[in-house]
Amino acid sequence: MNTNAAGEVSIPFAHPVYIRSVLDCLNSRGIRPSTVLERAGLGWHDLHDEKQMVDFSVFRRFVAHAIHCSGEPALGLMAGSMLQPYHSPVGIAAMSSETLGQGLQFLSRHSRLIFGSLEFHFEMGPRLSTLKVKPSRPLFETRVFVAQSIVGAYCRLLEAMLGRPADELVVGLPYSAPKDNDIPCLRYVRRAVFEQEHLTLQLPSELLAVPCSCADAKVFLEASQACQKMASEMRHGGFVQRVRHALLDRLMANPDVAELASSLGISARTLVRRLAEVGMTYSDIKDDLRRTHAASVPAAHRLAGGDDRVATGVCGPDQLRAQVQDLVSGRPEQDAAGAARGCAVERGGRAVRAVDVRPEESVRRPFLPVSQAPVLLTP
């Protein structure tokens, strides 16, 4: 059983992309993200996509400090709605599915890539389809925050898939109604039912046959492959992380596979074989580390062009294809001006500039292939 530095049992819980969405929400409310990170025992370096999921004990501290600093009991809803569908291959695959039903089924199968301790079960009945979210371990005081964030993210995902708000959605919440009758959830859905055993999200079954507004078979296939790769890395992540760390220490020396294998005490053939078992190659890891290293300076990430559909999480097939190509290949391209200054990298329509930007101004980063992937989800 793994334990952390404080002697607590280590429970991987949430992917860094989810933590960054909460920090984005705090930043939009005038709260310095660095303050919450420091109090939770996190650093900016813990928020890279290549990092492992945030441990549950750390997540509990993070949520407590985030709610305390914001003074907003509905912070989970707000943060969840900022977790854009196109920030993960799970969301991209769901959005590019042929129909709403296919997308929701895909979501239920791959939700653990975002939240490691939540199980999503999709049930189709004659009148209603229900997505049930069950925690695989107690969530303690974070259960309201987690439930709210899933509702916010799910509403954003449904809007992206349908091309309109899902007014038919009925939400069952696993906690009591507020005594003051102030129900923040009603800002996002028209009907909410409290004191349910688990979080439930219901839609009329007839909606499952509705085509997704961003349906694209090629994008769906590529995003599905990215999810399969992430899931494989989760199962074999220990060895991949070991290779990454060893290579990172020697990255400037550019060791070949035999040299790195020797430093790990294994043969080059064994290293290649074990990476192949998770669908990776030595070159994949080396290229990914180089890209991450090049973009690891504190930077602000923003969508280029100001497309309203993108800003609301509703992307067209061409934009989705560009996003998923970054997920699969992630080739950064440096423009001429950026090359001259050595400070600009452009990837997937996002400009990364290392000058005159403080890290707390924005924490959203493009979603890259990871060795330790983890919610929601996408949204």
Side-chain angles (χ1 to χ4, degrees), residues 15 49-53 233-234 237-238 241 370-374:
H15 190 274
D49 283 321
E50 68 176 24
K51 292 291 185 178
Q52 297 184 17
M53 286 190 289
E233 290 178 7
M234 286 183 65
Q241 279 295 97
V370 294
S371 62
Q372 282 289 329

Side-chain angles (χ1 to χ4, degrees), residues 91-243:
I92 292 176
M95 291 171 61
S96 59
S97 298
E98 182 178 357
T99 64
L100 179 67
Q102 181 190 31
L104 295 184
Q105 288 177 323
F106 186 92
L107 171 66
S108 67
R109 290 196 303 269
H110 296 279
S111 60
R112 281 183 174 269
L113 298 179
I114 309 297
F115 282 118
S117 298
L118 298 175
E119 298 176 355
F120 285 59
H121 300 278
F122 186 61
E123 302 174 356
M124 293 182 288
R127 292 193 314 105
L128 295 174
S129 64
T130 304
L131 184 66
K132 293 183 179 179
V133 183
K134 302 179 181 179
S136 58
R137 54 180 49 87
L139 299 180
F140 302 106
E141 72 282 356
T142 69
R143 75 186 192 285
V144 173
F145 181 91
V146 171
Q148 287 182 344
S149 65
I150 293 175
V151 171
Y154 192 66
C155 288
R156 175 57 58 88
L157 175 63
L158 289 177
E159 183 174 358
M161 297 172 74
L162 293 172
R164 63 171 177 81
D167 294 332
E168 302 91 338
L169 180 65
V170 178
V171 174
L173 297 165
Y175 52 85
S176 301
K179 294 181 180 179
D180 57 5
N181 207 34
D182 179 18
I183 305 176
C185 187
L186 295 183
R187 306 173 196 171
Y188 298 81
V189 298
R190 293 192 173 185
R191 183 183 176 191
V193 181
F194 293 87
E195 298 184 358
Q196 302 300 299
E197 182 179 4
H198 302 292
L199 174 64
T200 58
L201 304 141
Q202 289 187 328
L203 288 169
S205 294
E206 60 188 24
L207 279 182
L208 300 182
V210 174
C212 288
S213 62
C214 298
D216 188 303
K218 183 178 180 180
V219 170
F220 177 78
L221 177 61
E222 293 174 342
S224 299
Q225 291 172 343
C227 289
Q228 292 170 2
K229 182 178 179 180
M230 289 169 60
S232 180
E233 290 178 7
M234 286 183 65
R235 293 191 295 269
H236 305 276
F239 180 73
V240 176
Q241 279 295 97
R242 186 181 167 199
V243 173

Side-chain angles (χ1 to χ4, degrees), residues 40-89:
L42 286 168
W44 293 100
H45 62 280
D46 296 315
L47 304 182
H48 293 176
D49 283 321
E50 68 176 24
K51 292 291 185 178
Q52 297 184 17
M53 286 190 289
V54 173
D55 188 80
F56 183 59
S57 61
V58 177
F59 179 78
R60 292 177 70 177
R61 293 195 297 270
F62 173 76
V63 169
H65 290 303
I67 293 177
H68 174 76
C69 290
S70 67
E72 175 55 73
L75 182 66
L77 276 168
M78 300 175 182
S81 67
M82 296 183 74
L83 186 57
Q84 306 290 356
Y86 51 78
H87 282 174
S88 79

